[in-house]
């Protein structure tokens, strides 16, 4: 069986240096009584692809917002190895979140622009990021001229243009059709192979989480908490043959079982 | 059999398309033609009423006489038009600067907004005709007094629309700016101002018409002293002298000016937004 529980992942940690990021008993309470997240502990290592999988309302987005520093934990701590600065993080939201008044290239330029870099100086990096997501021909287009999937790619290009240590993705493909989603899943893995970034990915979909990740963190709601961690021990690169393999099916079954545990039936 | 079916179906579709194209053409034509027909009918009716009732020209002039006055008095009227136009334009300019400036201050500082927003509303709801006489008592310069009048009327739509726009930038984008450590100034410059642009332009179109109203009210109250007489003052003066054709001529010019201002601002809005904003994008049909 290639499925392992938390203990093994911790064992793997011994071989690695200190985690890139660690959450230590992090809780978040809204309005004094709504426990969105309770005692979440998670170590994110360099090169991990972690999926947060769970039913709606289990605190996945809350966890991402805490990691991104957009809100602060009610208790517990979040530690970045070697501190955190502005270029460490790339974020992709569920919506593409592009500026409609700016061209594709200008949108990708945004993280650099906010750090005072001129467009001309960053032209090479921007083109490179757009080429990585296959949109080099659309640099001068406006977001409204693109399809949903293409907008999402722009959003991804923007997240990785600064070469961040960690990329956070909150259900980036949830609004897309099955075919486009498969395509973008493949592309995302190819991208990761090329630039070797660390990703924390939120999803509702068991299949997506198994296909993409090396570790699946299964969460439950009310209160939002981590109940299982499932390691997907299958080598990258993964492609269509992995998607149709018996191994993949077995992983999906196991993750489903964990998820049903989470929902409580 | 199947081939024959599709061959029969194709022309039906074409006819449908042709009918739609005809309807579109008719609608385009109608948009110009219908108001024009109404205008001609109204003018004709006006003329007939004058004739049927033997109305003297110092009560209601016939349209022909008004047109003639427009031409004969063109020098006086044109000078007056320029003066009113200048007041309106300057007032609109000050309204934009004041409205946008206040809106930015309001969004930058909660306390500033809390302190001054109520007074902006009070200034807006108090009728300008009630304040105008006081303004001209306290302010010596007629030009500045007029600008102040027109500004008081015109700045509020700019202020309230721009404030709304500055606050309505997408939440995720705001989060993104936080994550990338944007400064206040960067957030304003790269996110809030562009997001507010469509709202601002909407406010500007309203303010254009209001600035004209403000200028007209100011002229009524202020008279000429030193500024020369604008269209509104011309109306006032001509009505004292029972030169009613000139009243009508000046009135037509004011209305035309209002329409031109509105069209110019609509064009500006279209040019600025046509690349990206939903309101300005032509849908494929
Ligand atoms: N700003 C907030 N104020 C109050 N309650 C909040 C806030 N944000 C989230 N919550 C609550 O916290 C809980 C977890 O929300 P969260 O958005 O993290 O769920 P999620 O796992 O991302 O769900 P989904 O899969 O539907 O996006 C929910 O019950 C939600 O109502
Ligand atoms: Mg969510």
């Amino acid at each position: 069986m290639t499925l392992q529980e938390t203990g093994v992942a911790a064992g793997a940690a011994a071989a690695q240096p200190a985690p890139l990021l660690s959450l230590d008993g992090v809780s978040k309470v809204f309005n004094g009584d709504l426990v969105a997240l309770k005692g979440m502990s998670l170590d994110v290592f360099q090169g991990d692809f972690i999926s947060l999988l769970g039913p709606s309302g289990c605190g996945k987005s809350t966890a991402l917002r805490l990691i991104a520093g957009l809100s602060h934990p009610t208790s517990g701590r979040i530690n970045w190895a070697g501190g955190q600065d502005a270029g460490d993080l790339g974020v992709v939201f569920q919506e593409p979140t592009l500026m409609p008044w700016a061209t594709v290239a200008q949108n990708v330029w945004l993280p650099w622009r906010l750090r005072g870099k001129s467009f001309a100086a960053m032209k090479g990096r921007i083109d490179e990021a757009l080429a990585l997501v296959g949109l080099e021909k659309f640099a001068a287009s406006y977001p409204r001229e693109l399809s949903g999937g293409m907008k999402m790619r722009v959003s991804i290009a923007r997240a990785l243009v600064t070469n961040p240590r960690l990329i956070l993705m909150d259900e980036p493909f949830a609004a897309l059709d099955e075919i486009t989603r498969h395509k973008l899943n493949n592309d995302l893995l190819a991208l990761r192979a090329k630039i070797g970034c660390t990703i924390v990915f939120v999803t509702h979909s068991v299949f997506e989480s198994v296909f993409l990740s090396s570790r699946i963190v299964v969460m439950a709601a009310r209160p939002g908490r981590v109940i299982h961690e499932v390691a997907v021990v299958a080598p990258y690169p993964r492609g269509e043959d992995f998607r149709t393999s018996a191994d993949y099916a077995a992983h999906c079954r196991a993750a489903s079982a964990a998820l049903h545990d989470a929902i409580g039936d | 059999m199947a081939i024959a079916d599709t061959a029969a179906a194709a022309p039906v579709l074409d006819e449908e398309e042709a009918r739609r194209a005809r309807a579109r053409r008719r609608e385009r034509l109608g948009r110009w033609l219908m108001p024009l027909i109404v205008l001609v009918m109204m003018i004709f009716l006006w003329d007939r009423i004058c004739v049927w009732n033997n109305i003297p020209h110092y009560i209601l002039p016939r349209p022909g006489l008004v047109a003639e006055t427009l031409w004969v008095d063109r020098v006086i009227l044109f000078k007056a038009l320029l003066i009113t136009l200048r007041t309106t334009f300057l007032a609109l300019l000050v309204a934009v600067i004041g409205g946008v400036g206040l809106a930015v201050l309001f969004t930058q500082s909660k306390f500033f907004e809390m302190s001054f927003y109520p007074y902006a509303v009070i200034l807006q709801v108090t009728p300008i005709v009630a304040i105008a006489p006081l303004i001209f008592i306290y302010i010596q310069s007629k030009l500045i007094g007029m600008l102040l009048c027109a500004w008081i009327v015109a700045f509020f739509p700019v202020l309230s629309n721009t404030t709304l726009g500055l606050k309505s930038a997408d939440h995720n984008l705001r989060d993104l700016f936080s994550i990338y450590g944007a400064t206040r100034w960067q957030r304003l410059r790269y996110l809030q101002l562009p997001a507010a642009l469509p709202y601002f332009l909407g406010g500007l179109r309203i303010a254009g018409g209001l600035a004209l109203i403000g200028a007209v009210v100011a002229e009524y109250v202020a008279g000429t002293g030193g500024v020369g007489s604008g269209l509104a003052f011309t109306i006032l003066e001509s009505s004292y002298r029972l030169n009613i054709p000139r009243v009508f001529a000046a009135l037509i010019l004011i209305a035309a000016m209002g329409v031109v201002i509105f069209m110019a601002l609509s064009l500006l809005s279209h040019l600025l937004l046509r690349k990206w904003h939903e309101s300005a994008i032509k849908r494929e049909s």
Side-chain angles (χ1 to χ4, degrees):
Chain A
M1 203 61 196
T2 41
L3 269 180
Q4 287 143 341
E5 295 277 281
T6 324
V8 182
Q16 278 168 318
L20 178 66
L21 171 81
S22 65
L23 279 69
D24 183 11
V26 171
S27 298
K28 179 75 187 175
V29 181
F30 286 110
N31 308 327
D33 60 350
L34 202 157
V35 184
L37 201 60
K38 189 168 173 228
M40 180 173 185
S41 294
L42 179 70
D43 288 337
V44 181
F45 296 96
Q46 176 69 42
D48 272 350
F49 194 130
I50 299 180
S51 284
L52 305 184
L53 176 68
S56 191
C58 69
K60 306 183 294 290
S61 299
T62 304
L64 277 204
R65 291 180 61 82
L66 288 168
I67 295 175
L70 290 170
S71 67
H72 300 284
T74 314
S75 65
R77 290 171 30 149
I78 298 174
N79 292 314
W80 283 82
Q84 187 209 358
D85 66 332
D88 277 353
L89 206 58
V91 183
V92 180
F93 296 99
Q94 181 165 350
E95 294 88 38
T97 314
L98 303 175
M99 300 178 289
W101 53 82
T103 63
V104 164
Q106 285 168 340
N107 267 290
V108 176
W109 173 36
L110 180 73
W112 286 117
R113 186 184 210 183
L114 293 178
R115 281 199 262 163
K117 297 277 197 283
S118 77
F119 187 82
M122 288 298 128
K123 183 90 177 46
R125 305 285 295 258
I126 294 166
D127 289 345
E128 199 182 316
L130 282 176
L132 274 174
V133 297
L135 284 179
E136 59 275 47
K137 289 211 189 70
F138 293 88
S141 304
Y142 283 83
R144 65 171 183 86
E145 297 162 328
L146 307 181
S147 71
M150 289 157 89
K151 283 184 205 159
M152 217 60 229
R153 288 164 192 268
V154 177
S155 189
I156 293 172
R158 178 181 59 194
L160 50 82
V161 73
T162 54
N163 253 335
R165 287 204 277 170
L166 179 64
I167 296 183
L168 305 177
M169 302 180 127
D170 192 353
E171 304 188 39
F173 309 138
L176 303 175
D177 62 274
E178 189 85 2
I179 299 169
T180 312
R181 183 160 5 146
H182 278 185
K183 171 95 176 66
L184 285 177
N185 283 167
N186 293 339
D187 292 354
L188 182 58
L189 284 188
L191 252 176
R192 196 178 85 101
K194 236 180 268 178
I195 61 175
C197 50
T198 309
I199 298 177
V200 177
F201 189 97
V202 167
T203 179
H204 278 130
S205 159
V206 170
F207 306 105
E208 191 172 53
S209 67
V210 171
F211 181 71
L212 291 174
S213 36
S214 56
R215 295 162 61 193
I216 302 174
V217 174
V218 181
M219 299 175 68
R222 274 170 293 275
R225 62 198 186 279
V226 177
I227 55 161
H228 278 297
E229 184 172 325
V230 180
V232 182
V233 187
Y236 295 96
R238 298 173 184 171
E240 283 312 317
D241 33 336
F242 176 63
R243 218 192 278 280
T244 49
S245 69
D247 215 17
Y248 173 75
H251 279 112
C252 287
R253 259 197 308 280
S256 272
L259 189 59
H260 278 134
D261 247 21
I263 298 168
D265 62 19
Chain B
M1 199 53 223
I3 294 168
D5 274 356
T6 42
V12 172
L13 248 171
D14 275 358
E15 197 163 302
E16 183 96 336
E17 180 62 35
R19 197 174 324 127
R20 262 202 298 271
R22 262 201 307 281
R24 265 201 301 276
R25 226 171 306 133
R26 212 176 314 132
E27 200 185 300
R28 244 196 327 263
L29 198 67
R31 192 158 299 162
W32 288 102
L33 210 55
M34 298 313 283
L36 218 62
I37 291 173
V38 171
L39 181 71
V40 170
M41 270 167 29
M42 296 292 280
I43 291 177
F44 181 75
L45 199 66
W46 169 7
D47 191 59
R48 286 303 93 193
I49 287 175
C50 293
V51 174
W52 289 332
N53 300 309
N54 276 323
I55 301 177
H57 66 80
Y58 53 82
I59 305 247
L60 180 62
R62 290 174 58 180
L65 183 58
V66 174
E68 197 185 314
T69 313
L70 262 175
W71 178 249
V72 174
D73 293 349
R74 63 185 182 279
V75 179
I76 306 173
L77 288 174
F78 188 67
K79 234 200 250 155
L81 181 125
L82 281 188
I83 287 168
T84 307
L85 189 64
R86 186 188 62 180
T87 314
T88 307
F89 184 76
L90 283 178
L92 189 59
L93 193 73
V94 184
V96 166
I97 295 170
V100 173
L102 276 178
V104 168
L105 284 177
F106 279 4
T107 45
Q108 291 302 301
S109 158
K110 266 247 140 38
F111 283 105
F112 192 87
E113 179 175 10
M114 277 192 267
S115 317
F116 290 103
Y117 190 74
Y119 298 103
V121 175
I122 289 173
L123 217 52
Q124 157 72 12
V125 296
T126 313
I128 184 65
V129 265
I131 321 175
L134 281 177
I135 288 178
F136 287 102
I137 290 175
Y138 297 124
I139 291 178
Q140 294 305 312
S141 158
K142 287 269 150 86
L143 180 68
I144 293 185
M146 281 184 170
L147 279 184
L148 191 60
C149 278
W151 180 78
I152 288 176
V153 185
F155 88 100
F156 194 76
V158 177
L159 168 66
S160 73
N161 271 31
T162 309
T163 308
L164 180 66
L166 288 172
K167 286 180 179 174
S168 64
D170 182 80
H171 271 269
N172 284 338
L173 269 175
R174 275 192 253 175
D175 285 349
L176 201 70
F177 272 64
S178 305
I179 288 169
Y180 288 127
T183 62
R184 229 166 219 268
W185 164 248
Q186 287 177 323
R187 191 181 289 267
L188 180 69
R189 171 72 191 76
Y190 300 134
L191 177 62
Q192 291 177 300
L193 285 178
L197 186 65
Y199 294 82
F200 161 74
L201 289 168
L204 185 66
R205 260 191 289 190
I206 303 171
L210 288 180
L212 181 59
I213 292 177
V216 165
V217 169
E219 274 181 29
Y220 271 133
V221 177
T224 52
V227 198
S229 51
L231 282 175
F233 187 75
T234 306
I235 290 179
L236 209 58
E237 192 190 29
S238 309
S239 73
Y240 287 148
R241 297 186 189 164
L242 285 186
N243 188 349
I244 304 303
R246 194 187 281 178
V247 171
F248 272 89
L251 190 59
I252 287 173
L253 285 182
I254 289 183
M257 198 162 106
V259 171
V260 170
I261 289 174
F262 183 80
M263 289 195 331
L265 293 177
S266 299
L267 180 70
L268 176 75
S269 169
H270 177 77
L271 290 179
L272 286 176
L273 300 182
R274 82 196 137 136
K275 285 269 180 52
W276 64 274
H277 196 253
E278 296 295 337
S279 67
I281 290 166
K282 260 226 176 75
R283 294 278 304 271
E284 296 290 336
S285 60

